Amino acid sequence: MRGARGARRATGARSALGSLRAALTTLTAVTALATVTACGGTEHGSGAEHGSRADVGKGARTGPAATQDPTRIPGVGDRWQRRIPADSRQVVAVYGDGRDSSSATVVLYAREGSTWDRVHSWPAHNGKKGWTTNHHEGDNRSPVGVFTLSDAGGVLNDPGSKLPYTRSAAFAAPRWWAKSYWHDFDYVIAIDYNRVKGTPPNDPTRPEGQGKGGGIWLHMDHGSGTSACVSLSESAMAYLLRTLDPDRHPVVVMGDWADLKRSR
């Protein structure tokens, strides 16, 4: 009898230990999943992700908001800050998640007097392989830098753009591209990288040569990385077209977080 009772007790102890181990394993898995989710998932444009990115310019990545200098664009170090033209009163800041990441946040800032105010923000995509300070044709990385914004266009009718707008079916993405890409160029804003200002965004002239790349635009998003452009939602593009004003000398300041914060 005693032997049978001892065996039952041992069996019960092993069962309880197994249950405890199973519970701990489950708890560990749930905790790991929660950590990954809290760090931002890969589902672009989800409510949680947009909420965290909407804090850009409020101290989320650049330190307490109270310590920010209101005369500077948040998260942008001296190297790029000093390249913002003195007469510019609108900045589209593109904060890339990482050097090799295709996810980004776009924030529009406007200057009144000497103070930059955060106007709006949106989730976005950049080059599928991330960012580079030495962009060249076909590298699938977006160029880091400060560039003027002078011309716009697209397949769709002008939504009320303040920038010169060229409507043309010639902007349409080739139909042999995946269907999700077909509306990429319904609205576009040319980034003045290796192009002639004052011409339609699809003017192929490249003053610095073909090898330096070109045709880099703000355009509509297809849900993943681009060849080198920055892509946003249709509503975001329409908003920028109606808001960016040549009289306010708009520029884009773009790059990954680490490079943008460089002081030299």
Side-chain angles (χ1 to χ4, degrees):
M1 284 291 288
R2 288 178 181 174
R5 286 174 184 168
R8 282 197 297 272
R9 285 174 184 157
T11 301
R14 284 195 298 270
S15 177
L17 182 58
S19 297
L20 178 59
R21 285 173 176 165
L24 288 172
T25 300
T26 301
L27 178 60
T28 301
V30 170
T31 302
L33 179 60
T35 302
V36 170
T37 303
C39 290
T42 57
E43 243 185 69
H44 205 73
S46 66
E49 180 180 321
H50 187 269
S52 64
R53 291 181 175 179
D55 288 334
V56 172
K58 291 183 176 180
R61 303 244 190 155
T62 57
T67 66
Q68 290 181 11
D69 182 347
T71 66
R72 297 168 62 93
I73 301 297
V76 179
D78 288 344
R79 181 185 186 189
W80 303 115
Q81 197 87 40
R82 59 176 170 255
R83 298 191 190 188
I84 299 172
D87 61 356
S88 179
R89 289 179 287 147
Q90 288 180 322
V91 165
V92 177
V94 184
Y95 299 98
D97 281 6
R99 179 176 176 78
D100 300 320
S101 172
S102 64
S103 295
T105 302
V106 168
V107 183
L108 174 64
Y109 296 97
R111 189 173 69 179
E112 297 298 335
S114 62
T115 301
W116 287 103
D117 296 317
R118 179 179 172 280
V119 178
H120 214 311
S121 70
W122 305 269
H125 284 101
N126 52 268
K128 63 187 71 173
K129 290 189 177 180
W131 297 90
T132 179
T133 54
N134 185 27
H135 175 71
H136 59 271
E137 182 78 8
D139 64 8
N140 289 319
R141 291 180 179 271
S142 297
V144 178
V146 179
F147 309 101
T148 53
L149 300 170
S150 306
D151 303 282
V155 176
L156 298 180
N157 289 328
D158 183 350
S161 175
K162 289 184 171 66
L163 297 172
Y165 187 93
T166 301
R167 178 180 179 259
S168 172
F171 282 99
R175 285 306 183 256
W176 47 266
W177 287 9
K179 191 172 182 179
S180 59
Y181 291 69
W182 287 3
H183 295 285
D184 279 15
F185 312 135
D186 282 359
Y187 290 139
V188 306
I189 297 171
I191 293 172
D192 293 334
Y193 171 90
N194 197 17
R195 70 176 299 270
V196 178
K197 297 181 187 180
T199 63
N202 57 353
D203 183 329
T205 306
R206 298 183 179 182
E208 297 178 58
Q210 194 75 13
K212 287 290 290 182
I216 298 175
W217 302 339
L218 300 174
H219 66 65
M220 284 170 48
D221 191 57
H222 54 252
S224 62
T226 69
S227 294
C229 298
V230 174
S231 60
L232 304 93
S233 66
E234 179 177 359
S235 60
M237 284 299 300
Y239 183 95
L240 288 174
L241 285 165
R242 296 186 188 111
T243 305
L244 296 178
D245 186 344
D247 291 339
R248 306 194 75 182
H249 308 285
V251 299
V252 60
V253 180
M254 54 195 280
D256 57 283
W257 275 101
D259 213 318
L260 284 179
K261 291 198 291 186
R262 290 174 61 181
S263 59
R264 60 178 68 181

